[in-house]
Structures are given as structure tokens and as C-alpha cells.
Amino acid sequence: MTQRNGIRGSSDPSLHSETSKARELANGLHHQEERGAADCERRRGSDSGDPAAVAGGAVPAPDGGWGWVVLVATILVLALTLGFPSCVGIFYTDLQNEFHASNSETSWVPSIMTSVLHAGGPFCSVLVGKLGCRATVMLGGVLSGLGMAASSFTRSITELYVTAGVITGLGFCFSFQPAVTILGHYFVRRRAFANAMSSTGTALGLCTLPFLGNYLHTEFGWRGSFLILGAVLLNCCVCGAVMRPLQPKRRRGQPLMDRAPPPLEKETKQRGCIRTVWRFFVASLKEHMAFDQLLHNKRYCVFAIGITVMMLGFVVPLIYLVPYATAHGMEPGRAALLLSILGIVNIVVRPPFAIMFNLPWFKGRHIYVFASALLFNGLSNCICCIGAGFPVLVGYVVMYGLSMSVVGSLMFTVLMDIVAMSRFPSALGLLAVMESVTLLIGPPLAGILVDRTREYFYVFIACSAVVAFSGVFLMLSFFWLDKKESKASKQGQLPAQSEPLKAAAEASPGCEYSSLPQEGDKASAWRRGAPPASEPDHVV
């Protein structure tokens, strides 16, 4: 007997048995999928860096709402952190005279500060995973404020390395990286716009901090200025307070099974303390340092190398611009005005760039615009070789500011295009560690060059060559990768999935999200109200 769509009216026991088995299979698959989705959401929540997101699962980005408040707070944090090291150049001569230090010795202060700002990325990633973005930003504000306040009481250049360099730089790191990370979770559709707007914070710091530093230097000297600037840096705590984590939707009931790893104490008893600590260290290193991306994601590898080379000469001109101008007879107030003009150019230019880079045409072309801006930025340093007059240096800071605006607007956007958002904090942490090496040695090498030649313009020539080379390297490398992938895709050797998505799938297996049900997924088929493909639509 054959009966279609008539299961309810059948009296055959075998039909009821097969029907009940099918329903049990559907329910089992349904519950299994829900548990898998819950586990996946917990993993994605842990990657977001906020404990609140872990309990409830992944939260869709609002792309507005309270995100605008978080954007404003991020702008202020970047103004107080990334824009601050260039302000140290105002006190450069005073530090040399106070501690009887050479150019190379004095340049270690902003060099260590900037290097630790980036090198503390892994520690920051651990703190974000344990405390969340909000608490980490506030902790960074406390550290940076205490570091600058302690710097006003130092009696040697070595003590200044520790207070202004290590402590303040670490505070900057704890404030800067979580602010950028949480902004990426609040914005997805408008991410390019949000990142470009947040980069105006660096411009805001370049615009206001030199004026403030020059005024404080005139009224209170370098020691009083450091003490007051320490109080100003405490405002990072206020900015961090408004960076509340995204609240997930509450679910009724609790999962029946807890798939969390076993407690550390049990593993310690079984395997021994030393081996457990080593395994925990290796696991933490893999989680907070994106070595998998460096090994398997060619785009991230190329980008990391290019940015590391770039940082060898990208920040140095900002440190030596004021000493270069004052060494040629320019008044300190007028020399500080150059940094403010640089900041004003960035503030005026970056918002239009933010709107422009969010257009559909730029999608997939961000890296080429970024590399072109690096090439232009490197070549602009050659303008300082013409002379040290005020009109020439104003033209230089305008050209430098235009290219710097593009670089700052697109740097985090390019990184988010290359890696999955779940791997962004660890990818940013590893990139920051690599940057810190060149950021650490760049200014001292420039100081040695000045001590040997007694001329500043050689520094700008060297920076021009390094930054321009990094721009050309990124442009050619990504063009080669695009051409290679295009050729391979035509030959059918590449899947439709891009490298960042493949890296994300490898990083969290079993957590593959899709906006549409996958073919052959039985649970998805039953959820749609249709039987699975492997089951017949009738019973014989």
C-alpha cells in the first residue's frame, strides 16, 4: 500500500514507527543545531572582548544609536594617546639641557613611549578578554596619568624612560586598542566611515596638544607641564566609562550541557603543574597572537611586513619637526604651530575622506588607496630639504597631513578587510608587537644620524626613502596576490570563500555562520518545514 501525505489516517504500526523515528531525528538535529549555535555564539562573544557578550552570545552591530557615543569617546581616546608622543618634541630641548643628554639619548623617551604603546598589544588582549573593553580603557587612563605625573619628579633620563616611556606607553596601549576593538563591534555596515572618523582623534590631538604643551611649558616649565598633562590623560577613564558592552538578548533557561574546558586544577593534578602552565601559556599565545594569520593568510603577512617597515620612518618626522625648525632660528611657539597646522589639516580632511571611503566603489580597493597615500607621504618628506623657512614647512605639513589623513583613515579598515572580525584583536596585537620593534629603533637611529652629521634634513631624507618603499611594497604585493587569485579562480583552483573567511573558519571550527541554510543540512531543512534531502517525501 502506498499513501502520500496520509500518515495521520494510517493504521499500520510500521508507519507510525517510521514517522516517530523521523520526528525524533528532526528534533534531535534541531536541538543539536541549537546547542552548536549557542556554543558558537559563546565563542564569538569571547572574541568580542567583553564578558557580557560571552553569556548571551553574538550581538548584531547597531551601526548607530549608542555607537555614536562610543565613536566620540574613541575619537577622544585616540587624541590623548596617539597624538601625545608628538607633543614631547616641545620639551625636547629642555630635556636635553636638564639631563645633559645627546639627541640619541633624549629621543629614547618618545621612542619607548610609542613602542610600548604598540608592544603591549598581547597584554591588552588578555585584559580585554578578562575585564572587557570598558574596564581596560579606564585602567589605561589611570596608568598613563600616573606615568606622566611621576615623570615630573624624575631626576635622571633613565627614570624618565621608565615613567614616561614604559608606564605611560603601556597606559596608552590599554586605552587605544580596546577603543578601536569595541568600535569595530558597534559598526559593520558603516565600519569604514566609523574608522575614518575615529582617526580624526589623532588629528585632534596633533592640533590641540602642541598648543596646550607650549602654553604649559611657558607658564610652568617641563616638570609642571608633565604633572598637568598627567591629569589631562585621566580623561581616558571618562571615555572608557561610556564604552558599554553590547548587551545580548536574554534567553530562557540554561544549556543542558556545559562544554567549557575542564578546570585548571583538575588538569594540574593529572599532568603536573609545569606542563599545565606551559600548555596554558601556549594556548593563550595562540589565542591572543594571530600566528595562524601570519602563517596562512598571505594578505595579513604582507600587510604586517609593510606596516612594520613603514613605522621605521612614519613617526620620526613628527618628533624631529619642532627641533629642526628651532635649530634654524624659528621661535618655539611658531614651531609648535606647525604641529597644530598638521592637526587642523587632518581634522578638516578626514571627515570627507570618511564619507568617500564608505562608498561602494572603494570596497576592495582600500589597500591600493592606502599604499598610494604611503608613497605620497614618503615623498613629501623631501620638501624639508628645500629649506627650514616657515612657508616651506607649512607647505610640508599640509602635504604630509593630507597623506597622513588617508593612512590613518584606512589603516584599521584595511586590517578588518584582511582578517575576520573575530580575529581582529589578536591580529592587531601581533601587528602592534611587530610595529613596536621599528618604532623603538627609529627615533634613536635618527638621533644618531643627527649627532653624526649635525644636520636634521638627513633624517627626513631617510624617512622619505623608508616610507615610500613600504608603499611600493604593499601596492605591488597586493597586486600580485590579486592577480594570482584571479588567475587561480579562473582555473577553478580557488573556492569562492576568501582568505579572511577561510582563516576565520579555521580559527573556530564548527562555527561557520551563513545567512542561508546550507545544502544537505538536515536540521535546516526540517526547520524550513521540509523533510531532509536524504529522506523520502512519502512512506511506502
Side-chain angles (χ1 to χ4, degrees):
M1 181 184 66
T2 303
Q3 182 177 352
R4 296 178 183 268
N5 302 328
I7 296 176
R8 289 184 182 178
S10 176
S11 60
D12 193 343
S14 62
L15 296 181
H16 291 287
S17 175
E18 292 183 10
T19 303
S20 61
K21 287 181 180 180
R23 289 178 179 174
E24 289 175 2
L25 175 62
N27 292 331
L29 292 173
H30 179 75
H31 292 306
Q32 183 179 1
E33 185 183 10
E34 286 186 345
R35 287 195 298 269
D39 291 339
C40 187
E41 288 177 350
R42 281 199 296 272
R43 293 191 193 103
R44 288 169 62 93
S46 63
D47 288 334
S48 67
D50 284 309
V54 177
V59 185
D63 274 302
W66 190 256
W68 300 119
V69 179
V70 176
L71 176 59
V72 173
T74 303
I75 290 173
L76 295 178
V77 168
L78 266 61
L80 294 173
T81 55
L82 297 185
F84 190 89
S86 61
C87 182
V88 180
I90 296 174
F91 311 99
Y92 196 88
T93 305
D94 280 2
L95 296 178
Q96 277 186 305
N97 297 333
E98 177 75 18
F99 301 114
H100 305 287
S102 64
N103 282 285
S104 178
E105 293 173 336
T106 309
S107 63
W108 277 104
V109 177
S111 175
I112 294 174
M113 180 187 295
T114 310
S115 178
V116 173
L117 189 157
H118 292 79
F123 303 102
C124 181
S125 181
V126 173
L127 284 177
V128 167
K130 299 295 183 182
L131 304 177
C133 291
R134 172 190 277 179
T136 308
V137 172
M138 297 175 71
L139 176 62
V142 173
L143 277 179
S144 57
L146 290 177
M148 286 306 297
S151 300
S152 63
F153 301 101
T154 54
R155 297 300 175 184
S156 67
I157 193 70
T158 306
E159 294 177 0
L160 201 63
Y161 293 160
V162 177
T163 55
V166 177
I167 299 177
T168 305
L170 198 60
F172 287 164
C173 175
F174 290 170
S175 295
F176 149 66
Q177 292 196 21
V180 176
T181 301
I182 196 171
L183 188 66
H185 288 286
Y186 267 91
F187 291 91
V188 173
R189 184 170 53 88
R190 298 172 177 170
R191 182 173 290 167
F193 174 79
N195 284 331
M197 287 299 299
S198 67
S199 67
T200 59
T202 307
L204 183 63
L206 289 173
C207 181
T208 57
L209 290 178
F211 273 128
L212 178 62
N214 185 60
Y215 171 76
L216 295 176
H217 176 256
T218 304
E219 296 293 330
F220 304 101
W222 74 269
R223 292 187 182 273
S225 300
F226 279 17
L227 185 62
I228 297 173
L229 288 173
V232 172
L233 291 175
L234 290 176
N235 286 283
C236 289
C237 299
V238 182
C239 297
V242 303
M243 295 179 181
R244 66 189 186 193
L246 290 171
Q247 296 296 332
K249 296 180 180 180
R250 295 184 178 180
R251 296 176 178 270
R252 295 181 179 179
Q254 297 293 333
L256 298 177
M257 297 179 60
D258 186 7
R259 301 191 180 184
L264 187 62
E265 291 79 11
K266 294 182 180 179
E267 189 177 354
T268 304
K269 294 178 181 179
Q270 296 175 358
R271 301 178 179 274
C273 181
I274 298 178
R275 188 176 180 182
T276 302
V277 171
W278 173 252
R279 288 170 63 89
F280 177 76
F281 173 75
V282 172
S284 299
L285 197 65
K286 289 180 179 179
E287 180 182 357
H288 301 291
M289 298 283 283
F291 290 113
D292 59 327
Q293 298 290 318
L294 195 63
L295 294 175
H296 304 294
N297 191 340
K298 295 180 182 179
R299 294 178 180 275
Y300 177 74
C301 182
V302 169
F303 185 71
I305 294 173
I307 295 300
T308 302
V309 175
M310 176 199 81
M311 287 300 179
L312 186 64
F314 186 72
V315 183
V316 173
L318 300 180
I319 298 174
Y320 282 92
L321 180 60
V322 174
Y324 173 60
T326 54
H328 287 79
M330 190 178 297
E331 297 178 358
R334 213 174 186 192
L337 181 62
L338 293 173
L339 291 177
S340 298
I341 294 174
L342 177 63
I344 292 172
V345 171
N346 278 264
I347 290 176
V348 172
V349 169
R350 292 200 188 198
F353 281 169
I355 298 173
M356 182 174 64
F357 294 148
N358 204 45
L359 296 176
W361 186 86
F362 285 94
K363 198 167 185 177
R365 297 182 174 93
H366 290 146
I367 182 61
Y368 296 106
V369 180
F370 178 82
S372 301
L374 274 183
L375 177 61
F376 185 81
N377 182 272
L379 296 178
S380 67
N381 290 317
C382 297
I383 299 177
C384 292
C385 302
I386 300 176
F390 186 75
V392 175
L393 293 183
V394 167
Y396 163 68
V397 297
V398 169
M399 302 298 288
Y400 186 94
L402 289 173
S403 56
M404 181 184 180
S405 300
V406 180
V407 172
S409 300
L410 289 178
M411 184 170 180
F412 298 120
T413 303
V414 171
L415 183 58
M416 290 177 184
D417 290 342
I418 292 173
V419 301
M421 194 60 208
S422 60
R423 300 293 290 157
F424 177 77
S426 55
L428 180 60
L430 180 59
L431 179 62
V433 171
M434 296 176 65
E435 291 175 358
S436 65
V437 178
T438 50
L439 284 170
L440 180 65
I441 65 177
L445 288 177
I448 294 174
L449 189 61
V450 173
D451 290 335
R452 296 281 180 87
T453 61
R454 300 296 177 183
E455 293 288 345
Y456 281 97
F457 69 87
Y458 288 112
V459 172
F460 293 93
I461 293 176
C463 293
S464 177
V466 170
V467 177
F469 169 78
S470 66
V472 174
F473 170 76
L474 286 174
M475 192 180 303
L476 295 179
S477 298
F478 273 85
F479 178 77
W480 177 76
L481 287 174
D482 287 340
K483 190 174 181 180
K484 182 180 178 181
E485 290 182 3
S486 177
K487 183 179 179 180
S489 62
K490 290 180 180 179
Q491 296 175 356
Q493 297 177 0
L494 279 184
Q497 195 177 20
S498 62
E499 282 194 12
L501 295 180
K502 288 190 293 184
E506 293 172 359
S508 53
C511 271
E512 300 178 3
Y513 275 78
S514 177
S515 58
L516 295 175
Q518 301 294 326
E519 293 184 5
D521 189 345
K522 299 180 180 180
S524 300
W526 280 99
R527 181 171 295 179
R528 293 195 306 268
S534 60
E535 296 290 333
D537 62 349
H538 63 278
V539 181
V540 180

